[in-house]
Amino acid sequence: MAQSDIMVSGAWLWYAPEGEGFPDETSIDVGDDWGGNWEWLGLTTAPLTMNLESEEFEVDVQQLTVAVLQSITSEEIVLSTTLAEMTALNLDLLFGGNITVTAAAALQKGYTELKFGGRTQRNVYAVGFEVRHTVLGVLQPLRLFFYRATFSLGGPIPFDKGAPSAIPVNVTILADDEQLTDEKLGVWQKVTAAAVP
Amino acid sequence: MADTVVVSVIHPMTFRDSKTDKGTKYTTGIHTMPYKHAQELGLLHRQVRTVEGAIVQKVPFNGAFGEPLVSILSNAGYETLADLRRASRDELTALEGIGPANYERILTAVKGGN
């Protein structure tokens, strides 16, 4: 236990198509582009929060006032934040649909459209986020990766003269049944030392 | 000179030259597309390889930094490595997100002579 284990950092949230490999801890330095098909979700106006909720089945016995057995029947991890950038890509994550970009031309403004509505399945993505801490004075990453996740709107989008029209999002983590037992949700990875030259 | 790039598409997108144009649809996956399509769709940062004879696009800071650092510097008004070369250490480290590691990264890129 050490004060160096106390984390104070914002988060950078990334997503990629389901099945995308996670960035390497050595070649992808803190703040680097994660590469591959990873896409950064951009600036956020609220902290990223991660919450785990679970439901348990408990066995009570007549002879005691406290449960003697507890079994987890369901778990849900949800990441929440608020995206600052109003873009078709961000909204497509939430609503699905089809993005069309029309270029500017003579007597024609350029514009982007997202046509959406009526889907029954959310797209599944790989998701991860990075926070930063220092090791011997050098910034290093702490990253969480999740194999499968879906995006949904986490609250109302305000159109307010006194506030940015930021987009609250919830990222619901799903299990990847192809992973080993007890490893079906994701990976927590903390870089603790620089490479030895 | 060919004017195409190969990009990775992760949101299905359609590009069209005008309102009346049917448009070119790109599904998720790797696509070879005209440079203009990639530029308008905002996919230039998703290039996976160049095509011989293709136009090399102007990459912020000559590709020296990842997107988060590019965003911090661009929002602060820095557009090129020459801009960074003119900035003082205090000016750069005063920016949110520019700590010792990112400052070293900037120094290395600037000394590269680009």
Side-chain angles (χ1 to χ4, degrees), chain A residues 14-15 33-41 89, chain B residues 5-11 13 35 38-39 41-49 57-60 65-68 70:
Chain A
W14 295 77
Y15 71 97
D33 194 304
W34 281 16
N37 283 308
W38 289 97
E39 189 80 20
W40 182 44
L41 264 107
L89 294 184
Chain B
V5 291
V6 182
V7 297
S8 168
V9 176
I10 60 173
H11 291 258
M13 304 175 89
Y35 177 82
Q39 183 181 42
L41 292 173
L43 296 175
L44 288 179
H45 67 291
R46 300 196 61 77
Q47 268 197 57
V48 294
R49 61 180 182 274
Q57 84 283 11
K58 190 166 184 285
V59 180
F65 311 128
E67 196 172 329
V70 167

Side-chain angles (χ1 to χ4, degrees), chain A residues 140-163:
Chain A
Q140 299 288 2
L142 183 153
R143 296 174 178 141
L144 271 93
F145 308 113
F146 301 96
Y147 301 109
R148 304 175 71 239
T150 59
F151 289 82
S152 60
L153 194 59
I157 301 174
F159 294 96
D160 181 345
K161 67 177 181 182

Side-chain angles (χ1 to χ4, degrees), chain A residues 12 14-17 29-33 36-40 43 85 88-90 92-93 97-105 108 111-113 123 125 132 137-139, chain B residues 8-20 25 28-30 36 40-43 45-46 48 64-69 71-72 75 97-102 105:
Chain A
W12 282 254
W14 295 77
Y15 71 97
D29 203 355
V30 66
D32 281 351
D33 194 304
N37 283 308
W38 289 97
E39 189 80 20
W40 182 44
L43 303 170
E85 298 175 43
L89 294 184
N90 282 349
D92 185 54
L93 290 173
N98 297 294
I99 297 173
T100 300
V101 175
T102 303
Q108 169 65 55
Y111 64 99
T112 300
E113 284 184 333
N123 292 332
Y125 298 92
R132 288 129 196 229
V138 179
L139 269 180
Chain B
S8 168
V9 176
I10 60 173
H11 291 258
M13 304 175 89
T14 299
F15 171 80
R16 54 186 192 181
D17 279 308
S18 70
K19 233 179 190 173
T20 53
K25 182 160 186 181
T28 56
I30 307 295
K36 182 183 178 183
E40 294 283 347
L41 292 173
L43 296 175
H45 67 291
R46 300 196 61 77
V48 294
F65 311 128
E67 196 172 329
L69 183 52
S71 180
I72 293 169
N75 288 341
I98 307 291
N102 273 338
R105 203 166 281 126

Side-chain angles (χ1 to χ4, degrees), chain B residues 55-97:
Chain B
I55 292 174
V56 177
Q57 84 283 11
K58 190 166 184 285
V59 180
F61 305 106
N62 293 351
F65 311 128
E67 196 172 329
L69 183 52
V70 167
S71 180
I72 293 169
L73 293 172
S74 299
N75 288 341
Y78 298 101
E79 294 182 72
T80 64
L81 291 175
D83 292 341
L84 296 174
R85 203 171 289 123
R86 286 188 284 270
S88 69
R89 180 193 179 106
D90 288 343
E91 285 170 347
L92 290 171
T93 54
L95 297 174
E96 176 93 12

